[in-house]
Amino acid sequence: MSGSNGTDESPHEHDDARTENIGSSPESAREGEGASAPTERFEAVDPHREVAEAKASSVTESQASSVTESQASSVTESQASDVTESQASSVTESQASDVTEPQTEAPAASQAPTEVRADGTNQAAPTGADEPPTQKVHPSEEPTAVIPVVAPGNRAPGDGSSAATDRLLRLQGQQNPAQPGPEQAGAPVPPTSTAMPSAAHPPQGDQPTQQMQAGPPPQGPPPVTPPPTGGPRGSGGDGDEPGKSGSNLPRRTIALVVGGVVALFAVFYVADLALSSGKVPRGVTVAGVEIGGMSLDAAEAELTEQLTPRLDMPVDVTAGDTQGQIVPSEAGIGIDWPATLDQVGSQPLNPFTRLASFFGNDEVGVVSTRDEVALSAAIEKAAAAAAHEPREGNIVFEDGTPVPVTPQPGQQLDVAVAGDVFAERWPYGDVSLPVESVDVTVTREGLDRALAEVAVPAVAQDLVVRGLDGAVGVLPRDAVGAVLSFVPDGSGGLEPQYDTEAAIGVLAPQLAPSETEPKDARIVLDGGRPTIVPSETGEMVDWPVTLERLPDLLKEAGDRSTDAVYRKAEPELTTEGAEKLGIREVVSEFTTSGFEYASGVNIRLAAQEINGAIVKPGETFSFNDYTGPRGAAQGYIESGIIEAGRPGKAVGGGISQLATTLYNATYFAGMEDVEHTEHSYYISRYPAAREATIYDGAIDLKFRNPFDTGVLIQTIGTSSDITVRIWGTKTVDVQSVTGNRTNFTSPNTITLPAGSACIPSSGAQGFTVTDTRIVTDARTGAQISSATRTVRYDPVPIVKCISPEPEPSDEPSGGGDDATSGDTGSEDAEAEDAPAPAPESPAAEAPAVEAPAAGGTEEE
């Protein structure tokens, strides 16, 4: 604070600043030097010298704001210049702490302090009783003196310095270290007005320094309580000062409480660790069995008692939307006790883990042993039951009503993963096996859209197709399901599929009366000469064109009818095509005879089927395909066959004689042999190595027409023989050369119970024979080809039919259809069309020789 004692216009112009009861002690001297105590400075000025305005306002705003903990109010700049004598005497310790950073060190002790009198003159203060007064100095030349203003109660006993002053100086250095402190040499001292203690009367011992009375200060702003600054002797310090020790009591109390809690917790931790040593950690459970706190032996006994029975108990297994049960012991599951107890662990040292164990459980599970084979087998059964293919959304028709099929994802089970899960979770009694979902592509929205936009309108009413001559075809609404179906479109919806053939199957028979079938040209033998019957062009419904609007027709809400579109239908063989075939003469002919009545019936029926057949150039003829089935429904009867290498009977027997006759006719016509099979044993009415057997659906006869002209097959049958003629254009001549019979084999004997199933036979030798076909040009005679075929015939077995009573003679009776005995040529049996073992010679090897589907039979 700075005051003005000069002759300026201050209202305190004649105020005096005096000291009272200043003690004399070294401590007081140090205070006079400004060593520690905060002081309030007054400037001694010349009464005739004006105080500059800047000195009167030397206390800055920052100085006024450095209010300490004990100060009650803030001193402003104007207040600092108006301090009077009475105000100076009322400055307390708390006010003294308000001095801010710019305060500097007091003059050195060598400078005599001066006393400011009321008349404005300065007089040197006495420094002692026996010290001479110092020389008077004009007030204008007097140095500024610093008078410590210290409350008696704030000075430490035995110390002449003020604790508040110490705190102030330290505070100044901390708040503004950039400014020089009181102890820095040469620091400028701001102008202040102070009351100096007399040098002759320094403060004595414990005598407190008296405050100068400077009158009541002007009214300032309300007091502001600053935050505590701390420090070893300030507010919030260690409480060494009287009256300040109570501020640290809460901190000490908290520290004591915290220390006590920590010590108590440490005692509890050590005690708990000691008591639980060697035991299972607290809160541990194994498959739900609580063993926490037990010894390892007790824990193992408890687990053995609780878990062992579970191995033989069925475990509920859920796999997606399927359920079942698996017995762990049957699935190869056991318990690994050492590993299970090992994973229980030891006592934890972490105090927080130990604390948490009081409030929860730690499930560690069971370590299982496993028999991989048994476990896989058990899981595969569950996988088979759980797996199902995804069901795509679809629309089906039931009694003409479209019914939506809700899409359902499929699922499948990974056996390896499921086995691991079961081995881990079985002790808990309920295992959910992970399944992989197989997604569907059709969404419910796509299904509903197809139902509403396609399926429902399609069955709203019948579809009508109008034909010629008033013919009408109707596709009923309840038959739409056979025509309309749906498939996923790949975008979550359903794409309609229309089966035109199914629609034709419903509509075509109804419009057939309005159609005209085309007729092929025919070649008939009238008067012994081939005659061409002209072909006829037909008029048929063009169904693909008629039904190309089928999807739109099934959506129409009004009239659902359309007209049938007709087209011209050309025959396969036109008149012109028949003329180009060149069928005008007989190119070959062959006849066989010697069959019985039943065989004759079957032979003539089959001959009628192939009579008039035309084989175009390059085509292949199939005997079985052309005649079709040969059963009782077609008029065939039972006749002789070869069954299991011996004579027998069956419906359609004897047809192989017609096959042999046809084979020889095509043989000499120069046709190409595609497929044929000889009988298993030789039959004398057929040429050796140039005959064929047949069996419906198993053994066939096929040949190909290699010429540029066509051929026509003519059959002529009588009660005793059958003839086949081949008509066409003769271009080649064919010659057959039969080789000698070799490699004879003797027959074996078969004894059977007498009855209709036994046909006795005297047997015949087997042999091997060859046939060579030589083809030459009919015009030039030049040889075109030569091929040799080797055939091995099995011996005809000797069959004896034994009746319950011995016969007078055991000589077998002959019976049958020219079955000869060896090379004698005698007629032995009519064993017709029986399948035979495959010949051993390469030329005779053919799959059809083996026993066919009908029990190893072939027609004779």
Side-chain angles (χ1 to χ4, degrees), residues 148-160:
V149 183
V150 182
N154 288 340
R155 188 174 62 184
D159 191 354

Side-chain angles (χ1 to χ4, degrees), residues 17 40 115 128 179 270 300 311 314 333 368 517 569 634 689 835 842 858:
E40 196 168 310
E115 180 178 49
Q179 296 182 0
V270 173
E300 182 176 4
L311 290 170
I333 295 294
S368 300
E517 293 282 350
Q634 289 76 32
E858 57 184 272

Side-chain angles (χ1 to χ4, degrees), residues 268-304:
F268 174 78
Y269 171 80
V270 173
D272 181 60
L273 187 62
L275 291 175
S276 60
S277 177
K279 296 182 180 180
V280 175
R282 187 183 298 106
V284 170
T285 62
V286 177
V289 179
E290 297 182 0
I291 60 173
M294 295 183 180
S295 66
L296 291 179
D297 293 339
E300 182 176 4
E302 178 69 13
L303 293 177
T304 303

Side-chain angles (χ1 to χ4, degrees), residues 193-208:
S193 295
T194 60
M196 295 286 294
S198 173
H201 302 283
Q204 297 294 328
D206 296 336
Q207 182 180 355

Side-chain angles (χ1 to χ4, degrees), residues 33-60:
E33 295 173 359
S36 61
T39 59
E40 196 168 310
R41 299 183 178 91
F42 296 87
E43 182 181 4
V45 298
D46 189 346
H48 303 289
R49 179 182 176 185
E50 289 186 351
V51 180
E53 182 179 356
K55 292 182 180 182
S57 59
S58 61
V59 179
T60 64

Side-chain angles (χ1 to χ4, degrees), residues 304-357:
T304 303
E305 180 181 358
Q306 296 290 335
L307 299 182
T308 301
R310 299 186 191 180
L311 290 170
D312 299 322
M313 299 172 62
V315 175
D316 293 332
V317 175
T318 302
D321 54 6
T322 60
Q323 293 181 340
Q325 288 185 332
I326 297 177
V327 177
S329 59
E330 296 178 358
I333 295 294
I335 300 177
D336 188 342
W337 294 111
T340 300
L341 293 174
D342 284 346
Q343 73 178 6
V344 167
S346 59
Q347 288 292 327
L349 298 179
N350 189 319
F352 298 101
T353 303
R354 300 188 67 83
L355 180 62
S357 66

